[in-house]
Amino acid sequence: MKSKIVYLSCFILMSLTSFSQSISSSPYSLYGVGSLYDSDFGEIPSIGSSGMALPSSTFINNLNPASLGFMSQNHFMFDIGGKAIMTTYQSGSKSESRNNFQFSHIAFAFPVTKNSGFSASLRPYSSTTFKISNLKLPIENSLDYYYLTATGSGGLNNFDLAYGYRFGKKLSLGATASVLFGSTNDNRSFLILNSITSIQKKTNYSGLRATLGAQYKIDSTLTIATTFKLPTQIKASKVQTVQTVADEVVTTVESNVASDTDDYYMPLEMGIGISKRFKNNLNMTLDYEKSLWSNTSQSELYGDFVNQDRFALGFTYSAKKNIRKYWDRVQYATGVNFDTGYLEVDGKRVNNAAISFGLSLPIENTYSSLNISYSYGQKGRISDNLIKENYHKISLNLSLDGIWFVKRKIE
């Protein structure tokens, strides 16, 4: 028992260390509260980030709290993950490459009754790490231009508490309460003619959000699901310093002035998904999600929030010919997804498309597995002031599954 506690403690310590080092360097993290993180629990990144209709039977499925209603009895699950990303940014004739590591999540789940389960997880929600130098932008209603230099850091974190309850053998309903918190640092300089205005701002955010979900097993091979992420308001306050430099004269307009700022609004998000198994060894997942960002009435200085559509398709396969052979128990996966994006810059959508491949490697003599996936994707485009991102992502997560309160029959 002691060794198990030490083992678990080591993973928690590793995850907290990694969590403090999470970085996303996308220039699009300039907008809103930053670039949003994908879900990388279990096998999800291998199947194109689909899986809304999958049960939490072999991994913790954070896409739908209703999945917890199908947890196996006496099983305690622990999931931890991270990812490495290599990104090339292109804008006109210029290109730049950056590499970083991101903490993905830490989570645990266990059954509460024979028909219900509970989970808790901690993960990054967004990141605002960016660096922009001398970006030429037009002045509205004018033929003149100004130059923007900006750096940012920080982001929001997401702490989830989820519960799912199964009614009978087919229907499960669930709910998630999410606590969002964090801060962003944003330093910007505007060069207009011979005058420079610099703004140093730190913004603190906090808020709550609820997610409702359902899964229904039509038969042993087909499950349908739906989720609703309710709209919410994330409170924001800032501390700001503003200075101007003109003719070598520095003027301080504000110095560490604390005040409320515009709150950040998260939209209603509706999703539907299916999971279909063929011949016991091939499974298909298909998800669609609609996010009503336009209804939040938010806008940015350099772009607008627009309604978002996301499509995700995934397949998993395992031979299962001989369970004594290791490679017959390995699960192979692939998936694709397309996201129209929720930002529109100069009338152009910042969309995202990706393809993924992965393996789920079982750990001998346990119900646990090591999930490895590779994804290649593109975000944005090369036109006007937009930047195109080409990225390679390797996700690695460990899904530990232990059995509680069951006596061994053979010592």
Side-chain angles (χ1 to χ4, degrees), residues 205-226:
Y205 296 92
S206 62
L208 299 172
R209 193 184 198 190
T211 300
L212 306 177
Q215 288 185 345
Y216 183 77
K217 284 191 173 184
I218 295 178
D219 56 41
S220 60
T221 66
L222 179 62
T223 301
I224 59 175
T226 186

Side-chain angles (χ1 to χ4, degrees), residues 96-228:
E96 180 182 349
S97 296
R98 297 178 191 172
N99 303 322
N100 60 72
F101 173 79
Q102 299 175 359
F103 165 73
S104 172
H105 64 276
I106 179 173
F108 67 86
F110 56 86
V112 178
T113 67
K114 67 176 182 178
N115 290 335
S116 67
F118 170 85
S119 74
S121 65
L122 177 66
R123 58 189 177 89
Y125 174 77
S126 68
S127 174
T128 58
T129 302
F130 58 86
K131 183 176 182 180
I132 298 173
S133 300
N134 296 320
L135 178 63
K136 185 178 180 181
L137 296 168
I139 298 175
E140 191 174 355
N141 300 322
S142 172
L143 298 177
D144 294 327
Y145 290 83
Y146 69 95
Y147 294 87
L148 169 69
T149 296
T151 60
S153 61
L156 268 63
N157 307 310
N158 198 124
F159 179 64
D160 289 338
L161 296 174
Y163 178 77
Y165 187 88
R166 175 168 47 88
F167 298 86
K169 295 182 178 180
K170 293 189 174 184
L171 175 65
S172 179
L173 302 178
T176 300
S178 300
V179 181
L180 292 110
F181 60 97
S183 62
T184 62
N185 294 289
D186 191 326
N187 301 321
R188 304 189 188 190
S189 294
F190 304 87
L191 173 60
I192 304 176
L193 299 177
N194 295 319
S195 174
I196 299 176
T197 299
S198 63
I199 302 174
Q200 300 175 1
K201 179 174 63 176
K202 180 178 181 180
T203 307
N204 296 298
Y205 296 92
S206 62
L208 299 172
R209 193 184 198 190
T211 300
L212 306 177
Q215 288 185 345
Y216 183 77
K217 284 191 173 184
I218 295 178
D219 56 41
S220 60
T221 66
L222 179 62
T223 301
I224 59 175
T226 186
T227 60
F228 294 89

Side-chain angles (χ1 to χ4, degrees), residues 41-116:
F41 286 52
E43 65 192 43
I44 290 174
S46 299
I47 51 177
S49 296
S50 63
M52 197 180 296
L54 292 176
S56 287
S57 55
T58 59
F59 72 98
I60 302 172
N61 182 3
N62 75 313
L63 294 179
N64 191 342
S67 65
L68 295 167
F70 291 101
M71 280 195 69
S72 302
Q73 287 297 292
N74 301 317
H75 283 242
F76 179 88
M77 292 183 175
F78 179 77
D79 210 298
I80 181 173
K83 51 192 172 184
I85 301 179
M86 181 181 73
T87 309
T88 300
Y89 304 96
Q90 294 177 285
S91 178
S93 60
K94 299 179 180 179
S95 66
E96 180 182 349
S97 296
R98 297 178 191 172
N99 303 322
N100 60 72
F101 173 79
Q102 299 175 359
F103 165 73
S104 172
H105 64 276
I106 179 173
F108 67 86
F110 56 86
V112 178
T113 67
K114 67 176 182 178
N115 290 335
S116 67

